[in-house]
Amino acid sequence: MKKITLSFALCAGLFGCTDKPTETPVSTESQPTTTSEQIPSNLPSDAPVVRVVTSGVLPPLTFLDEKGTLTGIDVDIIHAIGENQGFKVELHKELFVDMLPGLESGKYQAVISGLSPSPERIAKFNPTNAYLQNPSVIMHQPNLTVTDVASLKPLRVATMKDTTQEKLINELAPASHEAVETVFQLYQGLIQQKYDAVLQDKYFLEHIAANYPDYQMNVVEYDKTPNAADIVIYTQKGDQELLDKINAGIDNLQQSGEIDRIISKYLTVPTAN
């Protein structure tokens, strides 16, 4: 178990805030999108270009900054892979539901947006090796003892709607269960002591936690299934050359520590065992 420190001081202690964070409008038309800090390239001008798509709505993996440019862990990683393997990245932003159809049609050559290697996706596309691990976690009040999902049975629990966590808690049937629309609502209810525990993916929770250092909560990783936390990039079926390049880039970046450096750029959460 580890502790993560949280604060909502920047949002009037969470008590005067709206239930939903401001959302950036998503265009229905895809255009090549500039990336935060205009990531420099050392590649020659005639280097091959790979069309990559991301959703831009999943901080800290992929999102728009205050200037409206794409940034995040996924954005930095795909550019670093391209630099390592000799191809430039033409990054596009699409609606989440349109990314994989765009890959299937040939509009894009790769998709990176916090995607897991599900059987349905693998049947249609080539998954790369895992480049990140994003496990599901339980965040709970520090005065409670929580070791696994079963220990949530007597507690007040919240999840997000239409998620694997919601299905899991519905099956458990705890003392109470509320399904909400946003990660912010999970935090708000936890800090207001409306909930004893909430379930979500690690990076999405830590992204908020990194900004709010006043409230202390405990965090438990609960899904120990092999590969359950894997996050992959998808390429088209038959494009073995690009798949091999991306896998080689992932391997090189992992061995050099570059992926860890990128993660720490966006997630600087104080933790204690």
Side-chain angles (χ1 to χ4, degrees):
M1 183 185 301
K2 64 180 180 180
K3 293 181 179 179
I4 290 182
T5 302
L6 304 178
S7 165
F8 289 85
L10 296 183
C11 195
L14 274 189
F15 303 107
C17 305
T18 179
D19 281 347
K20 294 184 179 181
T22 302
E23 296 182 357
T24 304
V26 179
S27 172
T28 57
E29 296 184 359
S30 171
Q31 297 291 336
T33 310
T34 57
T35 52
S36 185
E37 301 178 5
Q38 296 297 299
I39 298 172
S41 174
N42 294 317
L43 299 176
S45 59
D46 60 349
V49 176
V50 174
R51 301 181 306 280
V52 180
V53 65
T54 189
S55 67
V57 295
L58 293 172
L61 300 184
T62 169
F63 61 101
L64 297 178
D65 66 12
E66 65 277 3
K67 297 179 181 178
T69 53
L70 278 169
T71 189
I73 294 171
D74 279 358
V75 173
D76 286 6
I77 285 176
I78 193 61
H79 278 282
I81 290 171
E83 198 73 10
N84 184 267
Q85 292 297 303
F87 63 83
K88 294 182 178 180
V89 173
E90 182 182 279
L91 195 60
H92 295 251
K93 178 176 174 294
E94 274 278 17
L95 294 172
F96 194 88
V97 296
D98 291 335
M99 294 188 305
L100 290 174
L103 179 63
E104 188 173 21
S105 71
K107 183 177 181 181
Y108 308 115
Q109 296 166 272
V111 176
I112 183 168
S113 198
L115 297 173
S116 60
S118 70
E120 296 79 12
R121 292 167 182 160
I122 293 173
K124 290 185 175 182
F125 311 104
N126 285 331
T128 65
N129 299 332
Y131 66 95
L132 288 178
Q133 301 287 317
N134 191 14
S136 294
V137 299
I138 301 166
M139 177 172 285
H140 64 90
Q141 301 289 352
N143 61 318
L144 300 174
T145 300
V146 174
T147 56
D148 53 22
V149 172
S151 59
L152 298 174
K153 183 73 173 178
L155 304 181
R156 301 167 299 161
V157 182
T159 61
M160 284 181 62
K161 292 180 180 179
D162 301 319
T163 61
T164 57
Q165 291 94 351
E166 181 188 20
K167 180 180 178 181
L168 181 67
I169 297 303
N170 281 339
E171 294 172 352
L172 177 69
S176 70
H177 174 212
E178 184 172 353
V180 301
E181 298 285 350
T182 68
V183 177
F184 180 84
Q185 288 173 305
L186 293 179
Y187 276 108
Q188 187 178 49
L190 196 62
I191 298 304
Q192 293 178 347
Q193 299 187 8
K194 182 179 179 181
Y195 312 131
D196 297 314
V198 301
L199 288 79
Q200 234 319 307
D201 292 341
K202 177 181 178 181
Y203 285 145
F204 304 140
L205 292 174
E206 288 191 351
H207 177 69
I208 294 179
N211 294 309
Y212 304 116
D214 289 343
Y215 290 90
Q216 190 175 80
M217 296 290 160
N218 288 357
V219 171
V220 178
E221 294 184 12
Y222 65 85
D223 190 349
K224 304 301 182 181
T225 306
N227 307 120
D230 285 357
I231 301 297
V232 302
I233 302 167
Y234 284 99
T235 65
Q236 291 176 303
K237 284 286 189 183
D239 195 349
Q240 191 65 41
E241 181 181 1
L242 181 57
L243 181 67
D244 290 344
K245 284 184 177 181
I246 294 177
N247 277 332
I250 291 171
D251 185 55
N252 291 340
L253 295 181
Q254 288 175 334
Q255 290 188 29
S256 70
E258 180 64 10
I259 286 182
D260 288 340
R261 188 198 66 78
I262 290 171
I263 292 171
S264 68
K265 174 182 173 182
Y266 295 93
L267 294 173
T268 52
V269 184
T271 63
N273 294 328

